[in-house]
Amino acid sequence: MGILSPSLLWVFMSMLILHFLTAPVESQLQSPPADLLFTNGFAADAANLTLNGGAQVLQNGVLRLTNDSLRALGHAFYSTPVRFKNSFGGPAASFSTAFAFSTVPQYPGLGGHGLAFTISRSRDLPRAHPSQYLGLMNASDIGNFSNHIFAVEFDTVKDFEFDDIDDNHIGIDINSLVSNASVTAGYFADNSSTIQDIHLQSGEVIQAWVDYDSLRNQLDVRISESSVKPTRAILSFNVDLSEFFEETMFVGFSASTGLLASYHYIMGWSFSVNGEAKSLDLSSLPSSPGSGQNTHKGLILGVSVSASVIVVILLASIAIYVIHRIRTADAIEAWELDVGPHRFPYRELKKATQGFREKELLGFGGFGRVYRGTLLNSNTRVAVKRILNRSKQGLQEFVTEINIIGRLRHRNLVQLLGWCRRRNDLLLVYEFMSNGSLDKYLFDEPKRILSWEERFKIIKGVASVLLYLHEEGEQSVIHRDIKAANVLLDDDLNGKLGDFGLAKLYEHGADPSTTRVVGTLGYLAPELTKTGKPSASSDVFSFGALMLEVVCGRRPIEQKAMPEELILVDWVWENWVLGSILQVVDPRLGGQFDEVEAVLLLKLGLICSNRLPEIRPSMRYLVRYLEGDLIFPDNVLPPDGNYDIKNTCSGNSGCDGGPDYIRSYQNSSSSDKATSSSTANDGDLDLEAGPFSPAPSDSGNSSSNRLFGSEEVDRTNKGLTKSNGRD
């Protein structure tokens, strides 16, 4: 055979390379390194799984992702990555999976949070959180494109934070836990349009199918309580996963628990790339330990078949125990039957805090003491608030705090895990906030100096949760005690609002009323001393004081080495009038701060601290200012409210057919200062606006919503440039 000439060899190699480049994607994408068929459980092939968190393979081959531990997570991923793209890029491959799962709640009908079939760039997910995050993400990376996480969630808790449709749904999640599409769990029966509901927490075995067709860019999800795959998908979503998938990804499952727990089991699993996954025969799979029953039923069954002598001994033991409990325990009062969430045994909390010893004391106040603790059963770190029976708070505030915060869910709220009552001891159990309260980082000799970025993030977090409390929950919650000591910091220095002992719950639009003025001096809105009625606006006043002290590093009222006490808001206003506003910024920052953001917070702090509640903006507008969605105007009214409000509109153009207000300084001690400042105009301020409404619309077109500006702004310019290009 002759040797090929260089030219013929070049042609041959070119054709070979062209063949590989133009070959169909499916032919170049390999199947997983193993069959990925776990049709008889996972015992024989457990070595092919990477488990972390609470996940483990039981002796009968069932994969258990979580047990009854609270706020826990579990991951189980196929150890070897699966190739979804060829080395030259291009579209992602089609894939198909079928798996059988069972969710057994800790208490009948009460469990959480759910499980998810997951495709991820990592099999560890080290920064993932439990509870509503399903062990997939955390609060800081929701929506990040860099996550490269795809999941189909089977969620058993309705989380308002993620706009969940109900507490029994299927959702498709791409880089976020705000589902791209979701539907109540169920299936189409017999090719009809009738949907048969499936209760995910029934404890029964449910089979799920997830199929992605890369040619049609369509994702279909089906579930059933049988071995037969439904013809029609319960959830379909058009999406091209190519931009979210990397060349290789890990496939597996994630689950988590929260304030309540569920056992999440996987009994069998099949997975295929560029093919249809094999459906599972449910009758041949190992049974989950809790499928169709709970441990209490198992105990009863065991006792029923025991020897009679064991029954007698057991009954005698129960009788002795009941008599002991009657002698030593308090009677259950009516309110205890209606209070949630979890009630802890006193003995468990005593052990967790090592007998409430002084070494575990985190802090104390007028209502009691707060101890550090670790729950022995789950190794969960907690903070236990022990309310003194001689404190003024008493039983009513104790019940209030449980009922209010127990039903709230927000990433910037300190999570209430449970409660306990033993005789006169009242205890609340919260998630542990490792960095303590914000005031320890602002005043006197701080633990460390918070950077400007950390301070601004904390303010935005507190604003976000106040908006949720005031407007976005089922009922409006007025906190009534917003201050630095009640803002707690987690591991990442995220600010979380706590201490709801003084909070009030109202229907939206209701007229709040109370006969007792409560709160902390320096944070109390002035109208409370007259009306005694807390409102969203009085919370805004307290939030204004918080903003000023975070920027300035000073308390609202200080008595230092000076003849008179320092009123923080007056001091900030004086510097504003004199044109030296940046002089009030905490000197411990060493000048390292964003001047635009600092001026914004100081402006907002001043307007929120206004004596007149109708001048203060709502939390919805404050959040939009902080996010850079709205421009805050240059003019700032003096916080002492020393000006008149006159209705001068007579139907002229520019009034939009509604009232227009002119605020002018008259006989004010600050009028001379105002005249000399850049905010004055011959002693008068002409602001086209009226009182702020409690829940303003986003249009910003009415004259009553123009005081604080409503033009959309360029976010990239930190709120300095309006979108219309004007100064």
Side-chain angles (χ1 to χ4, degrees):
M1 176 184 289
I3 300 176
L4 291 175
S5 67
S7 60
L8 289 177
L9 182 62
W10 182 88
V11 171
F12 175 76
M13 293 299 296
S14 299
M15 293 179 64
L16 186 63
I17 293 172
L18 183 63
H19 168 75
F20 281 107
L21 289 175
T22 58
V25 173
E26 286 80 359
S27 66
Q28 298 176 50
L29 291 166
Q30 302 301 315
S31 296
D35 290 339
L36 242 170
L37 283 172
F38 301 94
T39 54
N40 296 309
F42 298 84
D45 297 305
N48 291 324
L49 295 177
T50 297
L51 309 177
N52 61 51
Q56 68 176 110
V57 176
L58 305 181
Q59 289 185 348
N60 65 345
V62 170
L63 170 60
R64 187 182 70 192
L65 296 172
T66 64
N67 52 24
D68 60 356
S69 297
L70 304 182
R71 297 177 62 80
L73 56 80
H75 297 142
F77 284 92
Y78 195 74
S79 298
T80 306
V82 175
R83 181 174 294 278
F84 283 95
K85 291 182 178 180
N86 61 43
S87 57
F88 302 103
S94 300
F95 66 85
S96 174
T97 188
F99 55 92
F101 69 94
S102 175
T103 302
V104 183
Q106 184 179 11
Y107 306 104
L110 295 174
H113 265 257
L115 62 87
F117 167 72
T118 307
I119 299 178
S120 168
R121 69 191 305 180
S122 167
R123 61 189 176 191
D124 299 323
L125 303 176
R127 288 174 51 82
H129 288 179
S131 299
Q132 68 266 36
Y133 300 102
L134 297 179
L136 297 173
M137 305 174 197
N138 60 54
S140 62
D141 61 17
I142 295 296
N144 289 348
F145 187 83
S146 60
N147 289 338
H148 293 284
I149 290 180
F150 164 83
V152 177
E153 66 177 32
F154 300 85
D155 199 338
T156 57
V157 174
K158 181 178 181 180
D159 292 302
F160 294 100
E161 179 180 356
F162 301 136
D163 298 325
D164 285 349
I165 58 174
D166 56 34
D167 60 356
N168 185 58
H169 64 272
I170 306 168
I172 295 171
D173 302 338
I174 301 176
N175 289 334
S176 176
L177 289 168
V178 179
S179 297
N180 300 80
S182 59
V183 66
T184 299
Y187 66 96
F188 288 99
D190 302 326
N191 291 326
S192 69
S193 58
T194 302
I195 296 179
Q196 299 290 329
D197 292 334
I198 290 181
H199 185 50
L200 296 176
Q201 292 193 93
S202 66
E204 300 299 327
V205 178
I206 299 170
Q207 184 164 191
W209 295 263
V210 179
D211 300 288
Y212 174 65
D213 188 332
S214 65
L215 297 179
R216 295 189 300 141
N217 289 335
Q218 180 166 319
L219 183 74
D220 293 327
V221 182
R222 298 170 173 84
I223 61 172
S224 174
E225 292 178 316
S226 73
S227 305
V228 180
K229 184 177 183 179
T231 305
R232 184 176 174 185
I234 190 65
L235 178 61
S236 294
F237 182 60
N238 290 109
V239 61
D240 183 359
L241 293 178
S242 303
E243 58 181 310
F244 307 107
F245 279 12
E246 296 185 331
E247 183 178 340
T248 60
M249 304 277 281
F250 291 93
V251 295
F253 301 92
S254 177
S256 72
T257 63
L259 296 178
L260 295 172
S262 292
Y263 292 84
H264 295 101
Y265 300 104
I266 306 292
M267 275 67 71
W269 180 27
S270 68
F271 182 89
S272 175
V273 174
N274 297 318
E276 184 173 1
K278 179 180 179 181
S279 295
L280 305 175
D281 180 5
L282 300 187
S283 63
S284 66
L285 298 177
S287 300
S288 68
S291 181
Q293 63 180 1
N294 57 39
T295 55
H296 299 291
K297 291 182 179 179
L299 176 62
I300 295 173
L301 179 62
V303 172
S304 65
V305 298
S306 298
S308 59
V309 63
I310 297 178
V311 174
V312 172
I313 294 174
L314 179 61
L315 292 176
S317 300
I318 293 175
I320 294 172
Y321 175 76
V322 170
I323 293 172
H324 172 73
R325 292 289 294 174
I326 292 175
R327 288 179 177 177
T328 60
D330 291 335
I332 300 297
E333 299 182 16
W335 64 266
E336 297 183 62
L337 301 176
D338 300 323
V339 171
H342 177 62
R343 179 173 182 171
F344 283 93
Y346 180 82
R347 180 180 301 176
E348 182 177 0
L349 298 184
K350 187 175 181 180
K351 289 181 179 179
T353 59
Q354 300 185 47
F356 301 101
R357 69 174 183 172
E358 291 297 312
K359 187 178 180 181
E360 304 302 324
L361 184 64
L362 292 172
F364 57 88
F367 295 153
R369 298 187 167 200
V370 180
Y371 295 86
R372 178 194 300 108
T374 302
L375 300 177
L376 300 182
N377 292 337
S378 59
N379 202 32
T380 301
R381 300 176 72 193
V382 295
V384 181
K385 178 180 178 182
R386 191 178 191 184
I387 300 172
L388 300 176
N389 54 21
R390 62 178 180 273
S391 74
K392 296 180 180 179
Q393 187 176 26
L395 188 61
Q396 180 178 355
E397 284 78 3
F398 178 76
V399 176
T400 296
E401 188 157 3
I402 298 173
N403 278 326
I404 289 180
I405 197 172
R407 69 183 68 180
L408 300 175
R409 296 290 184 275
H410 193 278
R411 61 180 175 273
N412 293 105
L413 275 180
V414 179
Q415 193 68 59
L416 177 67
L417 304 180
W419 60 281
C420 174
R421 182 181 78 92
R422 179 179 180 268
R423 299 188 180 93
N424 292 325
D425 264 344
L426 306 175
L427 302 106
L428 294 171
V429 184
Y430 289 96
E431 63 175 319
F432 180 72
M433 305 296 288
S434 59
N435 281 309
S437 57
L438 175 60
D439 60 332
K440 303 297 192 300
Y441 294 83
L442 296 177
F443 313 129
D444 302 325
E445 297 180 3
K447 294 181 177 180
R448 77 172 183 85
I449 306 302
L450 294 175
S451 69
W452 177 257
E453 292 75 14
E454 291 166 341
R455 298 183 192 216
F456 197 70
K457 179 179 71 170
I458 290 168
I459 286 296
K460 289 174 66 175
V462 177
S464 173
V465 72
L466 284 174
L467 172 60
Y468 167 72
L469 294 175
H470 289 177
E471 299 184 24
E472 296 179 345
E474 295 182 6
Q475 292 175 297
S476 180
V477 178
I478 309 301
H479 188 277
R480 297 207 298 168
D481 201 18
I482 300 162
K483 57 183 179 181
N486 288 338
V487 176
L488 303 179
L489 306 179
D490 65 11
D491 295 343
D492 300 318
L493 291 175
N494 295 302
K496 296 192 177 186
L497 189 59
D499 202 337
F500 280 69
L502 299 181
K504 291 294 181 182
L505 190 67
Y506 302 103
E507 297 296 333
H508 289 294
D511 182 26
S513 62
T514 184
T515 59
R516 186 163 57 105
V517 178
V518 293
T520 303
L521 189 63
Y523 301 88
L524 280 173
E527 69 270 13
L528 289 177
T529 60
K530 296 180 179 180
T531 67
K533 292 184 177 181
S535 65
S537 184
S538 58
D539 266 2
V540 168
F541 183 93
S542 303
F543 180 65
L546 177 67
M547 280 192 286
L548 294 181
E549 61 184 355
V550 168
V551 176
C552 303
R554 308 184 77 155
R555 292 183 174 87
I557 301 177
E558 285 189 352
Q559 182 76 54
K560 291 194 174 182
M562 56 183 64
E564 297 179 358
E565 62 184 5
L566 173 73
I567 308 299
L568 182 58
V569 64
D570 292 344
W571 181 61
V572 173
W573 171 250
E574 289 171 3
N575 279 274
W576 171 263
V577 171
L578 296 173
S580 56
I581 188 62
L582 292 180
Q583 298 300 315
V584 306
V585 177
D586 191 346
R588 286 171 290 196
L589 287 170
Q592 301 298 312
F593 61 90
D594 187 306
E595 294 184 1
V596 174
E597 292 176 348
V599 172
L600 173 64
L601 290 190
L602 291 168
K603 284 182 178 181
L604 293 177
L606 287 172
I607 201 66
C608 290
S609 301
N610 200 286
R611 184 178 63 83
L612 301 177
E614 60 267 25
I615 298 299
R616 304 169 202 147
S618 70
M619 289 309 306
R620 182 170 296 279
Y621 269 77
L622 287 171
V623 168
R624 295 187 68 184
Y625 291 129
L626 293 171
E627 292 293 343
D629 293 338
L630 295 178
I631 288 179
F632 196 89
D634 292 335
N635 293 325
V636 177
L637 296 175
D640 60 8
N642 201 356
Y643 41 83
D644 291 339
I645 298 177
K646 299 178 181 179
N647 189 340
T648 62
C649 181
S650 57
N652 298 328
S653 61
C655 293
D656 297 329
D660 193 24
Y661 293 89
I662 293 178
R663 289 158 174 80
S664 61
Y665 301 96
Q666 293 185 351
N667 302 323
S668 169
S669 60
S670 61
S671 62
D672 293 336
K673 298 176 183 178
T675 304
S676 64
S677 73
S678 61
T679 62
N681 182 17
D682 298 330
D684 291 336
L685 270 177
D686 185 359
L687 303 178
E688 296 180 354
F692 234 87
S693 59
S697 68
D698 290 338
S699 65
N701 293 326
S702 68
S703 61
S704 64
N705 289 339
R706 292 204 300 265
L707 174 58
F708 304 103
S710 58
E711 292 90 341
E712 298 294 333
V713 301
D714 180 2
R715 289 171 180 255
T716 64
N717 203 21
K718 298 181 180 177
L720 287 176
T721 306
K722 298 180 182 180
S723 58
N724 59 14
R726 294 180 296 172
D727 292 335

